[in-house]
Amino acid sequence: MPTAEPLDDVDVRLLLALREEPRATVVALAERVGLSRNTVQARLAKLEPRLGSFERRIDPSTLGYPLTAFITVQVTQQHLDRLADALAEIPEVVEVFGLTGESDLLVRVVATDADQLYRIAGRVLDTPGVERTHFSLAMRTLVEYRLTPLLADKLRPDAE
């Protein structure tokens, strides 16, 4: 996985300010972090392509998909690229991670109900290159996706 250029303290302060006030104007952000409007505008333009997908902020349950499940998949290695493409064609597949260890992939799926989860699991299992799957239903999110503690840690004087 390629690594992005590390964020500096100014970028981190801007991201934390945006975390607190996502709709803040450039002028408000500039005042908050103690920089000129032009500097903030330039930094935001440079950061924007690195911030990732807006889609991460959308809760699937607001789209009618209240169930989340994880499928670990063992695959035939020579089929990995085609398998990834096939999984990307399943609308309910929201993320796929390559893993080390006994399983090769971790597939996050969302569904409207148990019947749909069953159909999705079958579709994944029927994909050429899939040798075995294990299916787990997420019962509750205990820690939401977050990066604020990492951002705050970057500003600590003793952080590397």
Side-chain angles (χ1 to χ4, degrees):
M1 184 182 308
T3 57
E5 178 183 328
L7 300 176
D8 65 15
D9 285 357
V10 172
D11 293 333
V12 171
R13 289 186 1 240
L14 277 172
L15 290 173
L16 286 170
L18 282 168
R19 167 73 171 84
E20 292 295 316
E21 241 182 292
R23 295 181 183 200
T25 64
V26 172
V27 172
L29 288 170
E31 289 175 7
R32 185 167 184 149
V33 298
L35 296 170
S36 73
R37 181 192 61 78
N38 288 340
T39 300
V40 169
Q41 185 76 46
R43 288 294 187 121
L44 290 175
K46 186 178 170 187
L47 277 173
E48 191 170 353
R50 298 176 63 193
L51 293 180
S53 170
F54 176 77
E55 290 179 347
R56 188 171 279 289
R57 294 182 60 189
I58 301 169
D59 182 346
S61 67
T62 63
L63 301 173
Y65 295 86
L67 300 180
T68 296
F70 296 91
I71 307 170
T72 56
V73 183
Q74 290 175 304
V75 304
T76 306
Q77 292 299 311
Q78 60 266 34
H79 296 288
L80 190 57
D81 289 338
R82 280 181 281 158
L83 178 59
D85 291 340
L87 291 173
E89 293 296 318
I90 303 171
E92 297 85 1
V93 170
V94 294
E95 288 183 296
V96 179
F97 297 95
L99 303 176
T100 62
E102 290 185 30
S103 294
D104 299 301
L105 301 175
L106 176 65
V107 181
R108 179 179 171 213
V109 300
V110 296
T112 57
D113 56 31
D115 286 337
Q116 187 180 34
L117 279 176
Y118 184 81
R119 287 189 301 275
I120 295 165
R123 191 167 169 189
V124 170
L125 189 56
D126 286 343
T127 304
V130 171
E131 293 177 357
R132 175 176 291 157
T133 63
H134 290 88
F135 192 89
S136 297
L137 178 64
M139 301 298 288
R140 176 186 295 175
T141 301
L142 299 175
V143 177
E144 293 284 340
Y145 181 85
R146 69 210 179 104
L147 293 178
T148 301
L150 296 175
L151 289 168
D153 193 54
K154 296 286 285 177
L155 292 178
R156 284 197 353 241
D158 60 341
E160 293 182 22

